[in-house]
Structure formats: structure tokens, C-alpha cells
Amino acid sequence: MESRAIVRISLLAAMIAVLGLLPTFHLPVAGGVPITAQTLGVMLAGIVLGARQGALAVLLLIFVVALGVPLLAGGRGGLGVFFGPSVGFLLGWVPGAFVTGFLMRRLAQWPVFPSALIAATFGGILVVYACGILGLMVMARMSVLQAIMATAVFLPGDMLKAFAAAFLAKAADSAYPAALERRA
């Protein structure tokens, strides 16, 4: 891997970590899973870096969190985060970033905004939610329906994040077209 790719991966991992500094919101119906801005960073990792490198950026962040660095929203870090109700969402960030990047590349012939919106919605929301629902079922001992209902409260905010990711992708592409990995 060339050094430019390593720097981009590190920068996106750092951006996801910085988004964890924003205040979190806890909803009682969500099984203890906080509302955070970090999923925006996951969406952007896939959009900007592509499937493989976007997933690597998220893996780098998760590895540093596992070492105990409190980079998750609310100052969380360490191995304990992998045993809580949000573990499905956290681990779902990896395939979420991958699918987002994969779809961005598959939609390379489309304009940036709609392709980024579709990629962020499918990868950054649907894939992450599928993993999060499984995590809630296992860690919070919820039924499938309870986990789906608990996850549904995140949908409006995550759709706003998908629109923000698409808007930022369009702005980045307009300012510096090489910023996005969109080679078909």
C-alpha cells in the first residue's frame, strides 16, 4: 500500500474519532445505544476512500478503541465496548463503509450527489442497522421486532447524515475531483 493511501486511511479514521467528540444523546427505547455523529464519518470513509480503504479506516479506529483509547462518542473505549448493546453498530461500521465505497464505485457514472446518497443510505444505514439489530438481539436480549423498533428511532437522524455525506461529497468533488475514489 502506498503512503498516500495510508495517510488518507489515517485521516478518515481520525475524522471519525473527532466526530465522537460531539455530544451524544441516549434514548431509553434504544437499548442503551447512543445517537452519535460518528456514522457520518463511516459514510464519508466509504464515499471518499472506496470500499477497501474505507473499511480499513474504520478497522483502524476500532483497533485503537480496543486498545483502550476513548475515541467513541461519550468518551468510550476499551474492550468493554465490545460487550455492550452498541457492539453490533460498532462492528457494522466496517461492512457499512465497505458497501458504501463499493456502491460509490458502481455508481461512478452517476452524478456525485445521488450516488453518494444511495451509497450512504445502503451502506451507512441499512448494512449498519442490520448488524446493529443483531447486536441488540444478542447483547440486549431483544426480540427481532424489539430490536427493529429500537433501531428505527435512529432513522431520521441517519438520513440527515446521509444527505450531509452526499452534500460534502458533492462539495469535495466540485473543489477537488480527485478527492473521491470513483474510478469505474
Side-chain angles (χ1 to χ4, degrees):
M1 185 179 297
E2 60 185 63
S3 57
R4 180 175 186 256
I6 293 170
V7 169
R8 288 170 52 105
I9 289 167
S10 301
L11 284 173
L12 263 293
M15 183 188 68
I16 298 168
V18 167
L19 287 169
L21 297 175
L22 296 175
T24 62
F25 300 97
H26 291 275
L27 301 174
V29 296
V33 179
I35 295 175
T36 74
Q38 288 182 295
T39 48
L40 172 62
V42 172
M43 294 172 188
L44 287 172
I47 290 169
V48 172
L49 298 177
R52 191 171 139 276
Q53 291 181 12
L56 286 173
V58 175
L59 275 173
L60 174 60
L61 175 79
I62 290 173
F63 175 73
V64 175
V65 165
L67 291 176
V69 181
L71 298 178
L72 295 180
R76 297 175 303 131
L79 293 177
V81 299
F82 298 101
F83 298 98
S86 62
V87 67
F89 293 97
L90 177 61
L91 296 178
W93 288 356
V94 178
F98 185 89
V99 169
T100 301
F102 175 80
L103 289 174
M104 262 313 271
R105 187 168 191 171
R106 295 291 294 179
L107 301 172
Q109 303 306 317
W110 289 27
V112 172
F113 187 87
S115 60
L117 182 60
I118 290 168
T121 301
F122 279 93
I125 297 176
L126 291 179
V127 171
V128 173
Y129 279 27
C131 297
I133 288 168
L134 289 173
L136 285 171
M137 290 169 55
V138 172
M139 301 309 280
R141 300 189 189 277
M142 291 183 176
S143 70
V144 176
L145 185 58
Q146 288 173 321
I148 289 170
M149 295 303 289
T151 303
V153 301
F154 298 110
L155 191 56
D158 283 338
M159 281 307 302
L160 288 174
K161 292 175 206 169
F163 274 98
F167 176 77
L168 291 170
K170 174 65 178 146
D173 184 62
S174 296
Y176 182 60
L180 305 179
E181 287 289 329
R182 293 197 63 184
R183 292 182 296 262

